[in-house]
Amino acid sequence: MEKFKGTSNSWVSFKNDDDDNFLIQSNDGYNLAYVTATYVGDEETIANAKLIAAAPELLEALQDALLSLKAMDRIYTLDKRRINQSEQAINKALK
């Protein structure tokens, strides 16, 4: 399975002190993304920033789950839509 080529350690999100926007940063201090609150409410901006910060862990968890689904599919007949959906989401992140 293809590996993620981006910043591989954990990411965090926090509100920027200078404005109402959010910064996504790697645990070793590299700035990765800036989530602006210009067109959305604060609650939505916070949710977007948290989702972006969780992306590396979510990708890894989905890759692991897909491997398990494929192993189970060899024994049981599973719904291929879930396998295909997982593969498409992983490909969206990696390609």
Side-chain angles (χ1 to χ4, degrees):
M1 188 169 296
E2 192 171 342
K3 297 287 279 176
F4 178 58
K5 294 178 180 122
T7 305
S8 60
N9 59 3
S10 295
W11 300 358
V12 295
S13 65
F14 58 90
K15 196 165 193 170
N16 192 353
D17 291 334
D18 298 333
D19 53 32
D20 288 332
N21 300 312
F22 286 79
L23 189 61
I24 310 301
Q25 200 173 66
S26 65
N27 278 347
D28 53 4
Y30 291 105
N31 294 338
L32 303 170
Y34 192 69
V35 180
T36 179
T38 305
Y39 298 108
V40 294
D42 200 44
E43 184 177 340
E44 188 173 346
T45 303
I46 293 167
N48 290 341
K50 286 181 178 182
L51 179 61
I52 293 167
E57 290 94 346
L58 291 170
L59 176 60
E60 184 177 352
L62 183 58
Q63 287 174 317
D64 290 346
L66 179 60
L67 291 175
S68 296
L69 279 173
K70 286 183 174 182
M72 289 174 53
D73 189 46
R74 286 187 222 116
I75 300 167
Y76 308 102
T77 303
L78 299 179
D79 182 353
K80 300 289 191 259
R81 291 177 296 174
R82 297 296 177 230
I83 292 173
N84 293 336
Q85 183 182 34
S86 297
E87 288 173 332
Q88 288 172 358
I90 290 168
N91 287 334
K92 184 176 181 179
L94 297 179
K95 297 184 183 209

